[in-house]
Amino acid sequence: MNDWNSRLVVSYTDEDNNEVTITPIDSFTPTFTLSAEPVHSIEKTHLGVIYSPQSLTFNMTVKTIGPVAAQLTALAIERKLFDLKLQRQDGTDWAFDKIVMTDCVITSSGPSSTSVSGPPTATFSGFSLAASAEGAGATVDAP
């Protein structure tokens, strides 16, 4: 039975090879789109397959408390490549041990409006040129 007392941590590797934890974070959504299309024939259906290039994207929302939103904005404005890591920090409740998106680029950023009920947030979107995932005793890489 899972107790869900564990947590995930999102971090990035900066240009000096230092790992910076992204906190406080509201959400992180990596998306792996692995498109394939069947090749048809007159005699047979689904004779083969054509694979399209993989699309590795992410969206994350962070509170604008502390330096993380400013650091991510600086990475975006300076057009610097960085690595994003989603990994299990505690516990054994999660399906993956680690997901690493390498050579990431932020393509858009948008702050929320401010309110009296809580701190504003900033949403960052981007893509990755490569990724790997570890879990259930296996490691997979894309591409």
Side-chain angles (χ1 to χ4, degrees):
M1 179 81 167
N2 294 334
D3 61 10
W4 297 107
N5 288 327
S6 61
R7 74 182 195 113
L8 296 173
V9 63
V10 179
S11 62
Y12 72 89
T13 304
D14 67 10
E15 64 276 358
D16 296 326
N17 214 22
N18 297 318
E19 191 166 301
V20 180
T21 301
I22 299 173
T23 185
I25 187 167
D26 286 345
S27 68
F28 178 73
T29 308
T31 304
F32 301 88
T33 305
L34 312 170
S35 299
E37 182 179 322
V39 176
H40 298 284
S41 170
I42 295 174
E43 295 90 23
K44 276 171 101 170
T45 183
H46 302 318
L47 180 65
V49 64
I50 297 173
Y51 293 100
S52 299
Q54 300 163 342
S55 174
L56 312 168
T57 61
F58 64 88
N59 290 305
M60 69 176 128
T61 303
V62 298
K63 288 186 174 34
T64 55
I65 299 172
V68 172
Q71 291 167 334
L72 291 171
T73 301
L75 286 172
I77 292 171
E78 294 172 352
R79 298 180 177 186
K80 289 190 177 180
L81 297 176
F82 60 97
D83 297 345
L84 269 175
K85 187 184 300 180
L86 173 68
Q87 64 184 352
R88 183 178 67 213
Q89 184 166 350
D90 299 313
T92 58
D93 302 332
W94 303 98
F96 291 100
D97 296 327
K98 180 172 31 173
I99 296 174
V100 180
M101 301 180 86
T102 56
D103 294 334
C104 295
V105 175
I106 293 175
T107 56
S108 67
S109 173
S112 70
S113 58
T114 58
S115 69
V116 294
S117 62
T121 61
T123 300
F124 296 89
S125 300
F127 66 89
S128 171
L129 298 178
S132 65
E134 295 177 16
T139 300
V140 293
D141 295 314

